[in-house]
């Protein structure tokens, strides 16, 4: 029997009536002749609340207990979804990650999936179960502890199940009806795309477009999972609804820039007056890596009299950890700097497009657009298919709109 994976995000299961609405879509797929693996997120706002409780209880918390707490939101929605389906007469049951078991490594808070054995679910499908409802975002470590896959991780659970069970499709149901040229909540003119390449979606996701978790796109690209994003609040779930993430060759559109992404919660940390000698970057960034700080952009300023300033960016919720790691390294004599300056009011704005590989001057145009808007650029990074800038957070939305306009993303070419 053919199998599809359907994932419902937080807003799609925000209350009992929304769970019922999602369940009706599942029922429809069962009536279409499919078995279904349903992946559910926690009710919207729940995970934030749980994370808040953990931080309030402990600043440098035990990550294993963080996972024990924050994974719990998904358990509730999995059970409720199974109950709702049963009430509709659909043969369904719920599974928590450890019951499947969805096996991960021990990197609590950002665990990676190692394996999803199919036997348990398949034996239930063989016995007549039509729907397995699985709690997203969670797994179990080799030590038998509950792990989570990082924020937005239910997308990754969904794609991983689709790959493991060789599902016909992986449908990500959310509160927008597809993937847009930028966040439609910020730019009303944003255009819904029919298709986007794995590679571009991977960049957009990793640069902040939270419509799909980065790791989910990576997995979909590696295992060639047919991945689609569509609305749980619209009736159309036919094959033409939503946006497909697919190979570049399948796409006819030819925009040089295909999307604009932003990431609001960025911080910029400057080590003032660091002794500039071989090994200085390693002395700074090794302890940060060991402390689990996700360093993103880096700039080293011109050196004067053997000393330099080193600036890097990281997510705002990692500032305390970064400061602690750097002060500890200073205390032990491995780095020598005069001060730490933290700016937690910056944001990152990026343009993405595979067309940039063959077009020059795209970065220059981006800088011109921002200059015209009076936006000061603090840090720049580029790759083959993206340009990112770090700017003051208060200009973030203005920058996204100006770039979307300047590159005419509302038009498909
Ligand atoms: P869910 O709770 O269903 O996982 P998310 O909030 O994680 O949903 O992701 C959906 C949101 O992603 C949308 O509401 C939208 O604001 C945001 N978003 C950001 N960039 C884009 C984009 N390029 N296209 C569509 N949505 C985007
Ligand atoms: N509930 C988790 C989160 O909010 C996972 C998810 O929704 O994908 O991050
Ligand atoms: Mg999400």
């Amino acid at each position: 029997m053919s199998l599809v994976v359907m994932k419902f995000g937080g807003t799609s299961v925000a209350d009992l009536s929304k769970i019922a609405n999602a369940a009706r879509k599942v029922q429809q797929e069962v009536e279409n002749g499919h078995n279904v693996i349903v992946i559910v997120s926690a009710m919207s706002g729940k995970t934030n609340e749980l994370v808040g409780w953990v931080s309030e209880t402990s600043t440098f918390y035990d990550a294993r207990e963080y996972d024990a707490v924050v994974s719990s939101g998904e358990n509730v929605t999995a059970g409720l979804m199974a109950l709702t389906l049963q009430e509709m007469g659909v043969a369904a049951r719920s599974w928590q990650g450890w019951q499947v078991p969805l096996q991960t490594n021990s990197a609590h808070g950002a665990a990676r999936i190692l394996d999803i054995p199919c036997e348990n679910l398949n034996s239930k499908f063989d016995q007549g179960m039509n729907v397995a409802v699985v709690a997203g975002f969670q797994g179990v470590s080799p030590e038998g502890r509950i792990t989570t896959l990082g924020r937005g991780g239910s997308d990754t659970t969904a794609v991983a199940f689709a790959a493991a069970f060789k599902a016909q499709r992986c449908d990500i149901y959310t509160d927008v009806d597809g993937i847009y040229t930028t966040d439609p909540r910020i730019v009303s003119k944003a255009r819904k795309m029919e298709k986007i390449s794995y590679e571009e979606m991977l960049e957009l996701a990793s640069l902040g477009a939270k419509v799909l978790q980065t790791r989910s796109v990576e997995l979909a690209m590696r295992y060639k999972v047919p991945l689609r994003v569509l609305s749980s609040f619209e009736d159309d779930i036919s094959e033409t609804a939503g946006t497909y993430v697919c190979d570049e060759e399948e796409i006819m559109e030819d925009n040089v820039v295909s999307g604009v992404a932003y990431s609001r919660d960025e911080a910029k940390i400057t080590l003032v007056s660091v002794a500039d000698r071989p090994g200085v970057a390693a002395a700074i960034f090794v302890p940060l890596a060991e402390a689990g700080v996700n360093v993103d952009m880096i700039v080293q300023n011109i050196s004067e009299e053997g000393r330099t300033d080193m600036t890097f960016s990281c997510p705002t919720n990692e500032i305390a950890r970064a400061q602690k790691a750097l002060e500890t390294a200073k205390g032990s004599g491995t780095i020598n700097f005069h001060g730490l300056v933290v700016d937690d009011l910056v944001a990152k704005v990026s343009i993405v497009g595979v067309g940039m590989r063959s077009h020059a001057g795209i970065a220059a145009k981006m800088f011109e657009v921002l200059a015209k808007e009076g936006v000061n650029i603090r840090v720049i990074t580029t790759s083959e298919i993206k340009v990112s800038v770090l700017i003051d957070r208060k200009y973030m939305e203005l920058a996204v709109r100006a770039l979307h306009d300047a590159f005419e993303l509302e038009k498909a070419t």
Side-chain angles (χ1 to χ4, degrees):
M1 197 155 171
S2 67
L3 181 91
V4 295
V5 171
M6 304 171 77
K7 178 258 173 177
F8 294 93
T11 41
S12 308
V13 292
D15 56 38
L16 296 184
S17 74
K18 299 224 168 75
I19 291 176
N21 168 66
R24 280 191 290 275
K25 294 199 158 19
V26 176
Q27 185 181 33
Q28 221 171 311
E29 292 290 23
V30 172
E31 285 166 1
N32 287 342
H34 301 295
N35 277 337
V36 185
I37 297 178
V38 178
I39 309 295
V40 285
S41 289
M43 292 178 173
S44 74
K46 191 69 214 175
T47 310
N48 285 344
E49 181 182 51
L50 296 169
V51 170
W53 288 347
V54 170
S55 316
E56 226 177 281
T57 310
S58 165
T59 312
F60 297 107
Y61 48 75
D62 176 345
R64 291 163 299 193
E65 302 307 343
Y66 166 95
D67 279 350
V69 176
V70 305
S71 61
S72 65
E74 272 70 10
N75 296 344
V76 175
T77 40
L80 289 172
M81 175 64 82
L83 281 174
T84 310
L85 286 162
Q86 289 172 4
E87 288 296 315
M88 292 173 167
V90 178
R93 72 156 267 194
S94 71
W95 304 75
Q96 294 182 7
W98 65 272
Q99 293 174 303
V100 173
L102 186 148
Q103 296 163 359
T104 71
N105 66 8
S106 311
H108 285 275
R112 291 176 74 101
I113 299 173
L114 301 176
D115 194 20
I116 305 182
C118 301
E119 295 77 33
N120 282 342
L121 265 61
N122 275 342
S123 84
K124 291 291 174 196
F125 282 128
D126 290 342
Q127 290 165 33
M129 174 186 74
N130 291 118
V131 179
V133 183
V134 179
F137 180 52
Q138 51 173 264
V140 61
S141 73
E143 293 77 31
R145 302 293 305 257
I146 303 300
T147 53
T148 62
L149 309 180
R151 296 306 305 272
S154 298
D155 297 329
T156 301
T157 308
V159 174
F161 270 86
F165 285 81
K166 301 193 170 44
Q168 196 175 310
R169 277 196 327 268
C170 181
D171 286 343
I172 306 288
Y173 285 87
T174 184
D175 57 357
V176 284
D177 61 356
I179 300 166
Y180 282 72
T181 46
T182 192
D183 189 342
R185 294 186 199 292
I186 290 203
V187 180
S188 55
K189 280 200 289 185
R191 174 173 53 86
K192 192 182 104 187
M193 292 177 274
E194 207 180 300
K195 293 178 181 173
I196 182 168
S197 68
Y198 289 117
E199 222 178 319
E200 285 170 321
M201 191 59 233
L202 191 58
E203 283 285 1
L204 286 173
S206 74
L207 295 169
K210 69 172 188 160
V211 61
L212 286 172
Q213 198 201 30
T214 309
R215 184 89 186 106
S216 73
V217 187
E218 248 169 48
L219 280 182
M221 184 159 141
R222 166 136 35 107
Y223 295 101
K224 296 271 175 255
V225 174
L227 179 62
R228 158 168 89 149
V229 172
L230 70 171
S231 168
S232 59
F233 304 117
E234 283 180 19
D235 292 333
D236 187 12
I237 67 167
S238 72
E239 293 202 345
T240 53
T243 301
Y244 284 86
V245 188
C246 60
D247 282 323
E248 205 178 314
E249 297 75 48
E250 290 177 46
I251 298 173
M252 305 310 275
E253 281 173 21
D254 196 21
N255 290 48
V256 177
V257 173
S258 8
V260 182
Y262 64 86
S263 166
R264 193 185 302 271
D265 297 315
E266 300 284 325
K268 178 164 74 77
I269 300 181
T270 303
L271 291 90
V272 182
S273 189
V274 192
D276 190 13
R277 51 178 164 72
V280 61
I284 294 169
F285 294 106
V286 170
L288 288 170
E290 283 168 357
V293 176
N294 288 293
V295 171
D296 179 18
M297 308 164 111
I298 299 174
V299 269
Q300 181 176 354
N301 295 339
I302 298 165
S303 179
E304 262 179 67
E305 292 164 11
R307 301 194 81 86
T308 183
D309 289 350
M310 186 79 90
T311 298
F312 66 91
S313 70
C314 70
T316 44
N317 61 6
E318 293 177 8
I319 296 174
R321 232 184 303 158
Q323 279 177 307
K324 189 177 168 202
L326 293 170
E327 296 292 357
T328 307
K330 187 180 183 188
S332 68
T334 49
I335 337 174
N336 168 326
F337 55 86
H338 288 170
L340 275 185
V341 179
V342 176
D343 180 352
D344 61 357
L345 290 177
V346 289
K348 183 170 62 175
V349 173
S350 311
I351 55 172
V352 170
V354 287
M356 280 188 220
R357 284 194 201 115
S358 48
H359 282 76
I362 302 299
K365 178 166 173 185
M366 177 184 196
F367 304 152
E368 254 172 16
V369 171
L370 296 174
K372 219 162 85 199
E373 298 293 338
V375 177
N376 199 2
I377 300 172
R378 313 257 168 218
V379 185
I380 300 168
T381 51
T382 64
S383 81
E384 214 188 4
I385 66 163
K386 68 121 196 219
V387 186
S388 299
V389 294
L390 201 66
I391 59 175
D392 290 346
R393 193 174 302 148
K394 61 182 176 203
Y395 297 127
M396 185 189 81
E397 300 197 1
L398 168 73
V400 171
R401 280 195 204 99
L403 291 167
H404 196 276
D405 273 350
F407 288 102
E408 301 188 323
L409 300 192
E410 68 284 0
K411 292 187 210 150
T413 55

